[in-house]
């Protein structure tokens, strides 16, 4: 069974450009999460989808970040325009069930973003 | 607000030793606690998930304990091997409402090096 897959694995863009990160969760997982880790900091929650609906987007840093999950399958996270402080690793994760408080959350390999 | 702390930040031990990694959290109202491993440049691999009603979980040479009332968890690694070298992350899923329950709050991690 395929795990959580993310694309691209690495991206280097200039300040002011746009980057779109994609995540394919584990098949059948209703819950999809985005997290990120910026240099020297702990991993922090960005948002949570249940199927195609945004359940919680309290961790999104500002309106330059837009996440979508059309059809409740894969998700995209767009950063527009990118700033230097957006550099870091963006992790996608997924878990089963709509009330799965006890379910293991599985993470992808991350998308490593460098803004120069 | 839930905060997770991991001590020490880095640990280096000779191969074969048993060791303990520590994790503490400020709010004892949690659904579960999850330990992850991250290899350099890689994603997060789930090691163990302990539900709030459990005291410990074991997988191979790993044993994780949870003392919810005191806000502590430990990860015990027996007979350490060089392949255990990685960063170990602790994350809690807080029970603060429906939305809060789906967020993982991470510690900064312990970077473990096992010397041959």
């Amino acid at each position: 069974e395929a795990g959580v897959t993310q694309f691209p694995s690495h991206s280097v863009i200039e300040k002011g450009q746009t980057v779109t990160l994609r995540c394919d969760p584990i098949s059948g997982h209703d819950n999809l999460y985005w997290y990120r880790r910026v240099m020297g900091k702990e991993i922090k929650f960005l948002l949570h989808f249940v199927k195609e609906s945004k359940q919680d987007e309290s961790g999104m840093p500002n309106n330059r970040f837009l996440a979508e999950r059309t059809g409740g399958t894969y998700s995209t996270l767009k950063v527009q325009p990118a700033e230097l402080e957006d550099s870091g690793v963006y992790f996608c994760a997924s878990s089963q069930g709509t009330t799965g408080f006890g379910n293991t959350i599985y993470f992808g390999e991350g998308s490593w973003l460098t803004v120069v | 607000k839930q905060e997770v702390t991991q001590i020490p930040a880095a640990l280096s031990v000779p191969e074969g030793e048993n060791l303990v990694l520590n994790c503490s959290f400020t709010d004892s109202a949690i659904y579960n606690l999850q330990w992850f491993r991250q290899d350099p440049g890689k994603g997060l691999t789930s090691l163990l998930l302990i539900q709030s009603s459990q005291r410990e979980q074991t997988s191979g040479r790993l044993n994780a304990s949870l003392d919810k009332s005191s806000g502590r968890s430990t990860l015990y690694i027996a007979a350490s091997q060089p392949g255990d070298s990685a960063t170990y992350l602790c994350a809690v899923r807080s029970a603060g409402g429906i939305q809060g329950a789906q967020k993982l709050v991470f510690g900064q991690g312990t970077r473990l090096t096992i010397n041959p």
Side-chain angles (χ1 to χ4, degrees):
Chain A
E1 180 182 324
V4 178
T5 57
Q6 294 187 243
F7 182 84
S9 58
H10 292 80
S11 182
V12 180
I13 63 171
E14 292 184 350
K15 175 182 172 181
Q17 288 186 324
T18 297
V19 63
T20 300
L21 311 177
R22 172 172 169 143
C23 168
D24 286 80
I26 294 172
S27 178
H29 282 193
D30 289 332
N31 296 293
L32 186 148
Y33 316 85
W34 284 98
Y35 287 80
R36 78 170 177 176
R37 185 172 198 167
V38 296
M39 185 68 71
K41 300 286 188 181
E42 66 273 20
I43 297 171
K44 287 194 173 178
F45 169 86
L46 294 178
L47 88 160
H48 167 218
F49 284 99
V50 176
K51 297 183 180 178
E52 68 275 9
S53 299
K54 290 178 185 175
Q55 182 76 7
D56 181 358
E57 52 184 331
S58 62
M60 296 286 265
N62 52 61
N63 58 11
R64 295 185 294 103
F65 290 76
L66 175 64
E68 295 179 322
R69 191 183 184 195
T70 306
T73 54
Y74 71 91
S75 174
T76 58
L77 179 65
K78 181 189 289 188
V79 185
Q80 178 183 29
E83 298 289 345
L84 299 178
E85 63 264 26
D86 300 331
S87 296
V89 187
Y90 291 77
F91 292 105
C92 179
S94 70
S95 68
Q96 284 184 314
T98 54
T99 56
F101 299 154
N103 293 335
T104 297
I105 296 180
Y106 298 91
F107 280 74
E109 297 269 297
S111 288
W112 301 69
L113 174 65
T114 302
V115 183
V116 297
Chain B
K1 178 187 170 185
Q2 179 73 271
E3 292 182 1
V4 179
T5 302
Q6 291 186 248
I7 295 173
L11 180 65
S12 181
V13 301
E15 180 178 4
E17 281 201 3
N18 303 323
L19 58 99
V20 174
L21 306 181
N22 296 294
C23 171
S24 62
F25 46 96
T26 54
D27 185 350
S28 61
I30 65 170
Y31 277 109
N32 55 49
L33 182 146
Q34 198 164 347
W35 281 94
F36 295 89
R37 166 187 174 138
Q38 184 179 23
D39 292 285
K42 299 292 186 180
L44 306 182
T45 300
S46 179
L47 298 174
L48 290 164
L49 172 71
I50 311 178
Q51 305 295 349
S52 61
S53 58
Q54 297 175 323
R55 296 284 293 183
E56 65 179 319
Q57 281 286 330
T58 298
S59 176
R61 294 182 294 108
L62 305 179
N63 176 279
S65 69
L66 174 64
D67 184 342
K68 197 174 70 163
S69 60
S70 68
R72 294 173 184 269
S73 176
T74 62
L75 179 66
Y76 174 84
I77 302 177
S80 59
Q81 303 170 358
D84 295 330
S85 298
T87 295
Y88 290 79
L89 295 154
C90 163
V92 299
R93 195 179 305 191
S94 294
I98 295 296
Q99 288 189 343
Q102 298 291 2
K103 291 181 191 176
L104 286 178
V105 179
F106 282 85
Q108 289 221 359
T110 294
R111 190 173 67 253
L112 176 65
T113 303
I114 307 298
N115 302 304

